[in-house]
Amino acid sequence: MASSPEGCGFGNCARLPCSDSTSYWEGRTPEMTQEQRQTHEMKDTEDLLASELDKLSMKERSEAYDDVHCVGEELKETPGMIQKSLLEFDEAVRQERNAFYELALNQNRAFVEDPSFRLKFLRANMHNVGKSVRHMMKFLKYKAQYFGQDKLARDITLADLNEEDMELMLSGLFHIQEGRDRMGRVVFYMLSKMMGRFKPETTFRVCYFIRFNILLSLPDVQTKGTVEVYFDNSDPGKNLPLPKRDTLTNLMDATTSIPYRNSATHFCILKAANRSLVMHNFLLAMSVSFLPSYFRARTRVHYGTNMELQYQLRSYGIPIDTFPLDMDGNIRGSIINLWFFNHQEQLRTGVSPWQSHVPGVGENEANRSSPISSVAPPTTVEVPREKFCTTTAFITPSDGDVLSGRGRFFQNHPGNVRFREFVEQHSNEYDKLERHQRMIFTTKLTHILHARNVRFVKQTTRADWVVMDFSEVRSKVSQQFRSIRKRK
């Protein structure tokens, strides 16, 4: 990594505002309008991206522009080109090999010498052999750091992830869109509302699993790259959590070690009245500074309301009919986590992972007259396409709702009674599962409850009732299983 410029502490980011400096605030005046102030607050990020484009030749700038606007070309390979790159790769490894490579070689030579493994790094670096070999050495270093040296020369599986990893995996932070963009590229989302709630090592392990195990298993992802969308759906009244500088630096450097190429990246910032974008600018500029020049030239920043941001993305060829948020910014619970269950189904059956169903959830489930039935969930069912209830509008609870609260009143509420009976039916199956499988199981049950139109509601500090979001409901299901186990 490049040495950090004085007064900053991050490599390649001299334009970043430092928390102990007042120079960033110079030029900002009380007379600024809201839009002018927010534009000024994001100036560091915008300047960093603009300066990257200025460094490019006309040909390179045109190629970057085409990739961002869905008219670029995927990586073209021939058998001769692949064979030549692999031979040069083998020669270069002898010069660049580090201690982690030697350890992996001793554990399982076939793993690190597998052409399909090495091709991932070559394709991520457009067949630049020197960069590809250094990329692999860096990858092995961070794989050892975050998963353990004993796992260097084998595939990472769900069994290697702990309970917190699985909670993050299914939290709604990550989403793989069902539809492709106009160029046929996979669109991968990170939603900011869940950022900062988990440990950095947890974040890396989950990023690794999604990118390396799921996305890179698709050959066209390796040749076309992906489109990444970082979408700001955080609460405008709350500040973004900021990890320690060294921790964030290590996490970002580790994430870039995964042999994964973004052919376009979009940062979508939600504009709201009286909202400061200083922390967004700080985190975004820092993130961009860690990207190689190739990626920075293919990065765009957008501002607006939820609806405006989605329509801006549509102009870049990204479909919005399967967007993970509705136009009001609510998470569409009917499609969230589908990517994960589709991947699991593909591993089980060999069927394409991007189908519109979730194992354990189905169309028969959506039309039941009784929201919570005593019948066990079927094995395959369709998920209804309506949005999951995540609105903050105040509602009046009914007998069919599950109320969040303590005390006899809540225990005896009809909806809560049926909910406990529903969970108890599956408690024996839950107890037999490995810890990493329990998170998957509770998420499936949450999808079933949603398909049956069961509402989970809670009271605000003002005693108003609002509907709970998907992650809160899944936590409620897990909590109920734990309560049952304590009574046994």
Side-chain angles (χ1 to χ4, degrees):
M1 195 193 322
S3 60
S4 304
E6 185 178 355
C8 182
F10 302 112
N12 303 324
C13 50
R15 288 183 172 83
L16 269 65
C18 297
S19 57
D20 56 352
S21 172
T22 58
S23 61
Y24 173 70
W25 302 100
E26 294 177 2
R28 178 180 171 183
T29 65
E31 292 76 22
M32 282 184 175
T33 65
Q34 177 74 9
E35 185 172 354
Q36 288 172 332
R37 179 171 62 80
Q38 291 181 335
T39 300
H40 174 72
E41 289 170 346
M42 293 299 295
K43 186 174 184 298
D44 298 284
T45 300
E46 297 283 9
D47 286 351
L48 188 60
L49 294 174
S51 67
E52 197 61 50
L53 288 173
D54 290 339
K55 300 174 186 177
L56 302 179
S57 66
M58 288 299 295
K59 182 177 182 294
E60 291 170 332
R61 188 179 299 188
S62 177
E63 290 173 347
Y65 182 90
D66 288 348
D67 283 343
V68 171
H69 289 83
C70 286
V71 291
E73 296 184 355
E74 63 180 287
L75 175 64
K76 299 290 177 61
E77 294 178 323
T78 64
M81 173 186 177
I82 292 174
Q83 184 178 15
K84 179 176 181 291
S85 293
L86 287 172
L87 288 173
E88 291 177 359
F89 192 102
D90 192 54
E91 287 293 328
V93 163
R94 299 173 188 176
Q95 306 298 323
E96 299 281 352
R97 57 204 299 164
N98 60 16
F100 299 103
Y101 179 81
E102 295 289 353
L103 182 59
L105 206 62
N106 291 331
Q107 290 178 4
N108 185 1
R109 175 180 291 271
F111 182 87
V112 290
E113 292 185 346
D114 186 345
S116 64
F117 175 70
R118 294 182 169 187
L119 259 179
K120 290 181 173 69
F121 296 92
L122 285 166
R123 288 167 172 164
N125 293 280
M126 308 297 284
H127 281 260
N128 183 313
V129 175
K131 287 183 179 180
S132 301
V133 171
R134 291 189 292 274
H135 198 165
M136 184 181 73
M137 299 304 167
K138 181 179 176 181
F139 169 83
L140 293 173
K141 167 192 167 185
Y142 281 115
K143 186 179 181 183
Q145 177 180 331
Y146 285 101
F147 289 103
Q149 295 186 3
D150 59 316
K151 300 178 181 66
L152 260 181
R154 70 168 177 82
D155 292 326
I156 299 299
T157 67
L158 281 178
D160 296 312
L161 305 181
N162 60 36
E163 191 169 350
E164 187 177 359
D165 297 336
M166 291 307 304
E167 183 179 356
L168 174 57
M169 180 93 71
L170 300 171
S171 68
L173 171 59
F174 303 105
H175 180 73
I176 301 174
Q177 191 163 6
E178 187 176 350
R180 304 286 183 99
D181 76 348
R182 279 199 305 262
M183 193 176 158
R185 297 173 296 189
V186 171
V187 185
F188 176 53
Y189 292 84
M190 291 185 68
L191 305 178
S192 68
K193 192 171 186 178
M194 297 300 296
M195 288 183 181
R197 300 188 186 183
F198 295 88
K199 299 174 183 176
E201 55 267 30
T202 299
T203 302
F204 174 79
R205 286 195 295 266
V206 174
C207 280
Y208 177 103
F209 188 89
I210 294 174
R211 288 172 170 164
F212 196 87
N213 288 41
I214 299 179
L215 293 176
L216 286 175
S217 67
L218 305 172
D220 62 334
V221 165
Q222 297 180 37
T223 56
K224 292 182 179 180
T226 61
V227 177
E228 283 208 358
V229 178
Y230 296 82
F231 200 93
D232 176 17
N233 69 327
S234 58
D235 185 343
K238 295 181 180 179
N239 292 325
L240 289 176
L242 183 63
K244 291 182 179 179
R245 179 175 297 183
D246 292 344
T247 301
L248 195 56
T249 301
N250 184 269
L251 174 61
M252 290 182 175
D253 193 43
T255 303
T256 61
S257 73
I258 302 171
Y260 175 84
R261 179 167 58 89
N262 294 340
S263 48
T265 303
H266 299 272
F267 290 95
C268 300
I269 309 298
L270 188 64
K271 279 194 172 183
N274 301 318
R275 185 188 196 192
S276 173
L277 299 182
V278 170
M279 292 311 300
H280 286 77
N281 175 61
F282 179 71
L283 292 173
L284 183 53
M286 181 179 169
S287 301
V288 170
S289 73
F290 270 87
L291 297 175
S293 175
Y294 177 92
F295 300 131
R296 285 203 293 265
R298 288 160 174 78
T299 298
R300 298 292 183 270
V301 182
H302 314 283
Y303 311 94
T305 63
N306 282 290
M307 182 181 294
E308 290 169 345
L309 289 170
Q310 291 190 40
Y311 277 105
Q312 287 180 53
L313 290 176
R314 188 173 73 168
S315 70
Y316 286 85
I318 297 173
I320 62 175
D321 57 329
T322 54
F323 202 79
L325 304 174
D326 64 19
M327 289 297 180
D328 295 321
N330 299 312
I331 291 179
R332 298 176 62 198
S334 59
I335 63 173
I336 211 74
N337 296 326
L338 280 178
W339 59 271
F340 178 81
F341 291 111
N342 288 335
H343 173 68
Q344 294 300 295
E345 186 74 356
Q346 185 246 354
L347 292 179
R348 188 178 68 84
T349 65
V351 177
S352 172
W354 313 118
Q355 296 181 3
S356 306
H357 75 280
V358 172
V361 184
E363 58 187 9
N364 294 331
E365 301 302 310
N367 299 316
R368 292 182 179 272
S369 57
S370 175
I372 303 180
S373 169
S374 59
V375 181
T379 54
T380 58
V381 212
E382 286 295 322
V383 178
R385 281 302 185 199
E386 73 276 7
K387 71 177 182 180
F388 188 63
C389 295
T390 56
T391 177
T392 55
F394 301 140
I395 54 99
T396 300
S398 66
D399 285 347
D401 295 333
V402 180
L403 310 184
S404 179
R406 297 181 179 179
R408 193 176 299 276
F409 169 78
F410 294 96
Q411 290 178 0
N412 296 333
H413 183 74
N416 292 47
V417 172
R418 288 197 292 270
F419 171 60
R420 288 198 300 273
E421 292 172 350
F422 172 80
V423 175
E424 285 173 355
Q425 291 174 26
H426 305 289
S427 61
N428 289 335
E429 184 178 358
Y430 177 86
D431 290 340
K432 295 175 184 177
L433 297 173
E434 299 291 336
R435 293 190 67 179
H436 73 275
Q437 295 175 317
R438 291 174 183 171
M439 190 69 63
I440 301 173
F441 187 69
T442 56
T443 303
K444 286 184 180 180
L445 294 184
T446 305
H447 275 291
I448 292 174
L449 292 169
H450 164 56
R452 297 177 184 178
N453 298 317
V454 179
R455 289 194 310 184
F456 285 70
V457 299
K458 63 180 180 180
Q459 282 184 301
T460 66
T461 54
R462 298 171 56 185
D464 297 306
W465 289 97
V466 296
V467 177
M468 298 166 64
D469 64 27
F470 188 91
S471 62
E472 291 175 314
V473 175
R474 195 211 57 76
S475 296
K476 192 82 173 173
V477 174
S478 296
Q479 182 183 21
Q480 188 61 43
F481 275 122
R482 290 193 293 269
S483 298
I484 293 172
R485 297 187 73 191
K486 288 179 181 178
R487 295 199 303 265
K488 289 183 178 180

